[in-house]
Amino acid sequence: MDESSNLLNEFGEFGVTPSPKVLEKCLELLQKYGVTSETFVNCWLGFSTTKLDGEGPSLETLIMFDKDVLSKENFAKTKIKSEPLRTRPFNFSDHSHEMLCEVVAKYPVGDVTIDWIRSNEQWEPKIQLHGTPESKLTSKYNYMFSRLRDKYDVLEEQITNMSTLLATKLQIDGFESNSKLNSDTYHTVGRICCDATSGSRLNTASLLLEGSLHTSSGKSVSLDVSHLKEFSFFPGQVVAVEGSNPTGRKIAVKAITTPPIVPVFKTDVSLQGPLNVIVACGPFTPSDDLEFAPLVELIQQINSIRPHMAIIMGPFVDVRNKKIETGELDLTYQEQFDMVLKELQTKILNSIQVCIVPSWRDVHHRTVYPTPPFQQENKLSHFHFLSDPCILNVDGVFIALTSTDILFHLSKEEIAAAPPGSDRLGRLVSHLFSQQSFYPLFPPAEEMSIDLEHADDFSKLPFTPHLLLVPSDLRHFIKNVQGCVVVNTERAVKGVSGGTYARLQITGESSSVQIKAEIVRI
């Protein structure tokens, strides 16, 4: 398949069809920077989402894209070249060269100077898992064996639980049926769905509201949102609708209400000084080799600044790696992972608490979401193996994290009418808080396998954390959303190029928490 076809396929994933002239310009930029079609489109999507409210490319915006993004990415300079794994052993000492450590984003914005020297060498933060114990997730279970009735019960319960919150927010006693014949304004509640007869993706013509069994006998009704100045919808979103239904088949929507966002917990923060954290998300090797040179550089960075915590998220053995796709391996998937993990455990200083989070893209692990933690028999005391997603309580500071790219998945499915210059990325994040879920999208992205019953236990985000880590293929950012500092580290490797990771410093006392952060290029 030629590059133009690859580009069209990648853009087509997001419902974008560039004109021949725009495609020609894209190919020119592709050749200029030596990037893959996938990397190009992912970079474009991040730029477009941030600056252009998700618009498709034009000749004018591609010039901006080249100037603001591509020319600054250093694709050629950061391309990693290394011998294939089969010709020499995996040897970390081969890569002791100095690295360029460029800061590409700061929070708060401005000239923030962060002192990375550990002020209290003896203090070790206490890391606890918040929420449902993982015993149910870690035990062997036959995932994807759920009965349809059980799945329906989970989805029904979601609407029921949100209905209670929405009724309280609206100060009403309850909701009426969505299909009730009523020319007067009334309130109903349900889940946003897509009418497949009006297109495969959600649009204003295909909007449906699926009611609960209790309120609406499980019926779905069309929504007319033509009178709304602003809205934001995605499949799976539970909302309250105010409007009239003169025919019984379509609600003329007057107002949409989303569930209330539970504020940040007021906790007793007991940090004994600034808490330094490094966060990185895989893959940790270029897409065309299994040498893991960028992981070596990351370990060097971790050891050089000696943070209290290092949160390292998968994929570690990425199902999308070209060598794994073609089966060009000298080792089994598990042996490949064991080798990577051994290097992490032997090379990272034992004064650093290391949190290892899996990804559903880890080819050696269970390809299901929520993803259970890696099982380790001889676990080192300073290594913590966590599930994806999870919430950590670190001496009173709540850190929520997931290795699954929910922002990217939501950005492909959300439809919105918003004023120019509005913060689309912030809006995508606020959906997680409003729906109280790490993965509120339903049905999920095609590549995802979600076990709904386990997701009901382990994928809830019942309150706003102090810090939310959501690594994504979308362009890196650090921003405050609803009182929570949200960090998209992007990935440690993008295609065949070095990527980025995050450094954070958290301070706090009593119930107050402050966070400073940097995104750094590998």
Side-chain angles (χ1 to χ4, degrees):
M1 190 182 290
D2 63 10
E3 279 302 337
S4 59
S5 300
N6 284 336
L7 264 177
L8 284 171
N9 285 342
E10 290 294 337
F11 274 121
E13 279 285 309
F14 307 101
V16 175
T17 308
S19 68
K21 283 190 175 181
V22 168
L23 187 64
E24 189 179 328
K25 180 66 176 176
C26 290
L27 288 167
E28 179 190 312
L29 292 172
L30 211 68
Q31 193 171 14
K32 178 180 176 182
Y33 292 102
V35 294
T36 64
S37 299
E38 182 183 13
T39 300
F40 182 87
V41 174
N42 284 348
C43 286
W44 165 261
L45 192 71
F47 169 76
S48 173
T49 302
T50 309
K51 299 284 182 70
L52 307 172
D53 207 27
E55 284 181 21
S58 66
L59 292 176
E60 292 77 18
T61 54
L62 280 173
I63 292 168
M64 289 167 53
F65 176 53
D66 183 8
K67 181 184 173 185
D68 293 353
V69 178
L70 296 179
S71 63
K72 295 179 181 178
E73 284 287 352
N74 294 328
F75 289 113
K77 292 179 185 175
T78 57
K79 184 165 180 175
I80 301 152
K81 295 180 179 179
S82 49
E83 300 169 41
L85 180 65
R86 62 178 178 273
T87 62
R88 66 180 177 88
F90 188 84
N91 188 341
F92 272 59
S93 63
D94 292 352
H95 302 282
S96 57
H97 57 277
E98 282 296 312
M99 73 188 75
L100 180 69
C101 193
E102 177 194 354
V103 175
V104 294
K106 287 188 176 187
Y107 177 88
V109 177
D111 189 19
V112 178
T113 304
I114 301 173
D115 182 6
W116 289 109
I117 298 172
R118 262 171 101 155
S119 58
N120 190 339
E121 196 66 43
Q122 302 304 314
W123 170 57
E124 286 190 357
K126 186 179 180 183
I127 301 171
Q128 296 175 295
L129 202 61
H130 177 83
T132 310
E134 286 181 338
S135 54
K136 186 179 172 187
L137 199 62
T138 53
S139 61
K140 295 285 184 183
Y141 69 94
N142 292 327
Y143 52 86
M144 314 315 293
F145 273 68
S146 300
R147 299 180 304 168
L148 282 175
R149 176 61 186 264
D150 296 330
K151 289 183 179 180
Y152 182 81
D153 286 345
V154 170
L155 295 170
E156 176 74 9
E157 189 182 355
Q158 285 175 357
I159 300 179
T160 304
N161 291 342
M162 289 298 177
S163 296
T164 306
L165 297 173
L166 285 161
T168 304
K169 183 177 180 179
L170 289 165
Q171 298 182 324
I172 58 175
D173 294 331
F175 294 97
E176 298 182 58
S177 170
N178 59 12
S179 58
K180 179 182 180 182
L181 199 68
N182 196 337
S183 298
D184 297 324
T185 300
Y186 70 102
H187 290 94
T188 188
V189 68
R191 175 184 292 104
I192 295 296
C193 299
C194 176
D195 179 1
T197 59
S198 301
S200 58
R201 288 192 185 277
L202 196 66
N203 56 61
T204 51
S206 67
L207 270 173
L208 293 178
L209 186 75
E210 178 190 292
S212 68
L213 189 64
H214 173 70
T215 305
S216 305
S217 304
K219 290 181 181 177
S220 296
V221 64
S222 295
L223 297 180
D224 174 6
V225 294
S226 58
H227 299 294
L228 292 181
K229 289 183 178 178
E230 292 183 28
F231 60 78
S232 169
F233 297 117
F234 63 89
Q237 180 186 25
V238 178
V239 296
V241 175
E242 183 183 356
S244 57
N245 193 349
T247 63
R249 293 190 299 273
K250 180 177 280 192
I251 299 176
V253 181
K254 180 182 174 184
I256 293 287
T257 304
T258 55
I261 292 175
V262 181
V264 178
F265 260 20
K266 295 292 184 186
T267 54
D268 184 17
V269 179
S270 53
L271 299 177
Q272 296 179 27
L275 172 67
N276 291 346
V277 185
I278 276 185
V279 183
C281 182
F284 297 100
T285 192
S287 59
D288 57 358
D289 76 33
L290 287 168
E291 287 294 292
F292 291 91
L295 185 64
V296 180
E297 308 225 349
L298 177 67
I299 290 174
Q300 290 176 351
Q301 275 295 292
I302 291 171
N303 285 338
S304 69
I305 71 168
R306 301 200 318 280
H308 299 90
M309 285 176 67
I311 299 174
I312 305 176
M313 300 189 233
F316 296 91
V317 187
D318 189 6
V319 69
R320 295 179 183 172
N321 186 283
K322 289 182 173 60
K323 285 192 175 289
I324 288 172
E325 283 181 342
T326 57
E328 293 180 46
L329 294 122
D330 297 331
L331 305 168
T332 66
Y333 299 145
Q334 186 63 44
E335 286 170 343
Q336 184 74 54
F337 173 70
D338 289 343
M339 192 161 61
V340 171
L341 184 61
K342 182 183 177 185
E343 295 302 329
L344 287 168
Q345 291 183 323
T346 55
K347 294 296 188 294
I348 294 179
L349 299 172
N350 59 14
S351 62
I352 300 166
Q353 303 272 321
V354 183
C355 297
I356 302 290
V357 182
S359 163
W360 65 268
R361 281 168 52 177
D362 275 306
V363 72
H364 70 289
H365 198 47
R366 300 188 211 170
T367 311
V368 66
Y369 180 91
T371 310
F374 296 128
Q375 294 298 294
Q376 296 298 315
E377 293 176 4
N378 303 313
K379 187 173 79 68
L380 299 177
S381 60
H382 64 292
F383 267 70
H384 308 266
F385 292 93
L386 308 169
S387 59
D388 171 39
C390 64
I391 302 174
L392 302 179
N393 179 352
V394 183
D395 288 328
V397 176
F398 287 99
I399 303 174
L401 54 97
T402 179
S403 62
T404 297
D405 199 346
I406 178 58
L407 296 186
F408 190 57
H409 294 169
L410 273 178
S411 70
K412 288 169 67 173
E413 301 296 337
E414 186 210 39
I415 60 168
S422 61
D423 180 9
R424 184 166 189 241
L425 289 170
R427 189 174 70 238
L428 293 177
V429 172
S430 67
H431 287 319
L432 310 189
F433 298 148
S434 175
Q435 299 293 310
Q436 298 187 15
S437 170
F438 279 101
Y439 201 94
L441 187 64
F442 186 83
E446 278 186 28
E447 60 190 13
M448 293 286 292
S449 297
I450 289 192
D451 188 295
L452 277 180
E453 290 176 273
H454 283 82
D456 195 42
D457 286 325
F458 298 102
S459 301
K460 284 182 176 171
L461 190 56
F463 59 89
T464 306
H466 296 106
L467 174 65
L468 175 64
L469 306 174
V470 277
S472 172
D473 286 334
L474 298 177
R475 190 163 172 76
H476 56 255
F477 65 79
I478 315 167
K479 59 175 65 212
N480 189 307
V481 180
Q482 303 290 337
C484 171
V485 175
V486 183
V487 181
N488 166 18
T489 61
E490 220 170 321
R491 299 191 181 274
V493 177
K494 298 193 303 185
V496 295
S497 307
T500 49
Y501 67 94
R503 297 191 296 221
L504 302 103
Q505 188 169 88
I506 305 168
T507 53
E509 55 185 347
S510 62
S511 63
S512 172
V513 173
Q514 293 83 37
I515 298 174
K516 296 177 182 177
E518 296 175 340
I519 303 284
V520 185
R521 194 179 304 285
I522 291 182

